[in-house]
Amino acid sequence: MTTQPNSYDTDLDLDDTGAEVDVDLDDELDEDDDAGRIDGVDGFGGGSGPGRDERDAPGIEGLELEERQALRRVVGMSTELADISEVEYRKLLLERVVLVGVWTEGSMEDAENSLAELKLLAETAGSEVLDGVIQRRKKPDPATFIGSGKVADLRNLVASLGADTVIADGELAPAQLRNLEDKLKVKVVDRTALILDIFAQHAKSKEGKAQVELAQLQYMKQRLRGWGGNLSRQAGGRVGAAGGGIGGRGPGETKIETDRRRINTKIAKLRKELSALKGTRTTMRQERRRNSIPSVAIAGYTNAGKSSLLNSITGAGVLVEDALFATLDPTTRRTTTADGRVYTFTDTVGFVRHLPHDIVEAFRSTLEEVADADLLLHVVDGSHPDPMAQIAAVREVLAEIGAADVREIVVINKADAADLMALAPLQHRERNSILVSARTGEGIEELKRLVEANLPRPDVTVEALVPYERGDLVSRVHSEGTVDQLEHTGEGTLIHARVHADLAGELAPFEVTATH
């Protein structure tokens, strides 16, 4: 097969794939304008025949071995634009990438959903996605991720599209990264590096930037060997014969060892900084606990609408953007129940499938806000094609940070854009769930009532006659407890309420009766 780099004619509209591929005389090029597929190209059509859509296929069981193992084009991967001026602008600024995934388990729809999510991640990072392919394998190839034969097919595709980067839908080992770059002759990035890049762009606070840098360095330390020959060892005792001369003999310290030592020093410094910042966050949490202020944590999949929900409930004014990981830094806002009790809402970082372990470790102090919460609002994107998978991915991370036992309300957001019939199985499975729309306000008031009903209530019942000069105690009973009855008498305020143990102790001198 021969390939030729694609050229653009500014007087013509671009096709769906933005690609022009030369094939052998025996091959036939079939273009499906609606699906954006190319069949008949060796290695990508899978032998499925002209005009055949993979979605109409009876299933993987009905395919031949060669078809099951072939790279499969995923529909709708290209993000090239028809507007010429915008195309030219993006071609100057954006990396042109091809996505590649390995389908090892689940259905074809699951594999395509995963690659579609990778496309959104790539666009969030500022890339122009040209195409995406999937390879069906029992497990990723330990040397090249997709196998040596399919690497040749991928190299032809990259050359024909004029791509400069390949993004793998998985975490690549250092050897896989090096081998792919050697064979494809373009930059190769895995899913973990892509997510870290997005985090680096969106981190705003000092703590957030330090957490992202720590995760990047931990990732980089294991992959130094895959980043070129400048990290190779110095020559040994016979270096003089090669022109090294005096001072160049002996084993010395390799470049990779020097870089790894510098990275370890930087990691230690960042961990020290984060430890100090973690102390501040811990002190704030302890102060809320001391005052018995209940806390509600908002967690969920990225771009599910957590910040929009926080704004709808508390008017926090947090940045809202239709992008993955738009907000990384946690935001805590205080609000009150209908009966005057004070509690807090905390918006946390979003989760994603296969969230890098380095990110979870680096953001552990932030994610502890979820583990220490009294109630968890698990926000789910109701308009997503596979909300069940989103819930599973979030709960996997929650279990890792010790938040699996926190009382949970599943909030199915974006009701205005969702198919309510498709959400029926999810609502049936998640009994403690509610359907809302942060955009239109639908269900928000009902959600507030549900949150208030699930907040922990004070467990000590008191009846006290509080002197008028101690109005501060009456105010605290309103904000920290539940007032059942209040009466103003000539001697003071007679109050019957449920409060926490610390406040009950302060009311003890004025207590009329007490029941525990």
Side-chain angles (χ1 to χ4, degrees), residues 229-237 239 247-258:
N230 63 322
L231 300 179
S232 60
R233 294 183 177 276
Q234 294 180 353
V239 72
R249 300 182 178 91
E253 186 178 37
T254 64
K255 178 70 164 57
I256 193 170
E257 289 170 347
T258 303

Side-chain angles (χ1 to χ4, degrees), residues 370-381:
V370 180
D372 292 340
D374 297 297
L375 180 65
L376 171 64
L377 295 189
H378 183 167
V379 185
V380 182
D381 183 354

Side-chain angles (χ1 to χ4, degrees), residues 148-286:
S148 57
K150 297 302 178 286
V151 169
D153 295 336
L154 183 59
R155 182 175 61 246
N156 293 335
L157 177 64
V158 168
S160 67
L161 295 178
D164 51 38
T165 304
V166 170
I167 302 179
D169 190 15
E171 184 167 345
L172 298 179
Q176 292 173 322
L177 192 66
R178 182 178 63 248
N179 292 337
L180 282 174
E181 287 189 338
D182 289 344
K183 294 177 182 297
L184 299 177
K185 306 303 180 184
V186 295
K187 182 172 70 174
V188 178
V189 177
D190 63 9
R191 185 187 183 93
T192 300
L194 179 61
I195 294 175
L196 289 172
D197 182 79
I198 296 172
F199 271 56
Q201 293 181 46
H202 293 177
K204 297 294 186 291
S205 69
K206 181 179 179 181
E207 183 180 18
K209 291 178 180 179
Q211 288 169 327
V212 172
E213 186 176 3
L214 175 61
Q216 286 179 320
L217 290 173
Q218 289 173 331
Y219 172 85
M220 185 188 305
K221 184 174 69 171
Q222 304 302 322
R223 288 162 176 79
L224 286 177
R225 196 172 296 275
W227 288 2
N230 63 322
L231 300 179
S232 60
R233 294 183 177 276
Q234 294 180 353
R238 299 194 58 175
V239 72
I246 298 174
R249 300 182 178 91
E253 186 178 37
T254 64
K255 178 70 164 57
I256 193 170
E257 289 170 347
T258 303
D259 287 350
R260 185 170 289 128
R261 174 167 50 81
R262 290 175 178 171
I263 288 176
N264 286 332
T265 301
K266 184 63 174 177
I267 286 176
K269 181 181 178 182
L270 287 172
R271 282 180 172 159
K272 187 176 180 180
E273 291 178 7
L274 287 173
S275 179
L277 294 170
K278 178 182 178 181
T280 303
R281 187 178 297 279
T282 302
T283 301
M284 295 170 64
R285 281 201 299 264
Q286 289 175 345

